Amino acid sequence: MILNPLYNRPNYVVEKQRAIQSDTRPVMLRLPRSKLYVGSFGALFTVGMFATVYGITSLVKGKQSSE
């Protein structure tokens, strides 16, 4: 059958579940590439917070009068 490799595959869920649950690292860092995801989220969050704080401070200061 041509499609046999697509739906007739071994089930590795139990092995993966045991490996992930026995890991002692924090939950958000247990999966592969999780350091990349958490690091990129942290970087984007930091940039967004700095931009928000900059925008709020510029709104509070207001425009300088040209007198």
Side-chain angles (χ1 to χ4, degrees):
M1 195 99 214
I2 293 174
L3 299 176
N4 196 20
L6 292 177
Y7 63 84
N8 191 12
R9 300 182 60 170
N11 188 359
Y12 295 115
V13 172
V14 176
E15 290 87 0
K16 290 181 180 182
Q17 185 176 7
R18 284 188 187 131
I20 290 174
Q21 287 179 351
S22 66
D23 198 353
T24 58
R25 292 180 289 181
V27 173
M28 71 211 74
L29 297 176
R30 289 184 186 175
L31 295 175
R33 293 185 301 275
S34 59
K35 286 185 181 180
L36 173 69
Y37 299 147
V38 172
S40 61
F41 171 77
L44 290 174
F45 182 79
T46 303
V47 168
M49 288 306 294
F50 277 124
T52 302
V53 169
Y54 175 75
I56 289 173
T57 53
S58 65
L59 285 173
V60 168
K61 285 182 182 179
K63 294 181 181 178
Q64 295 180 354
S65 62
S66 60
E67 293 179 22

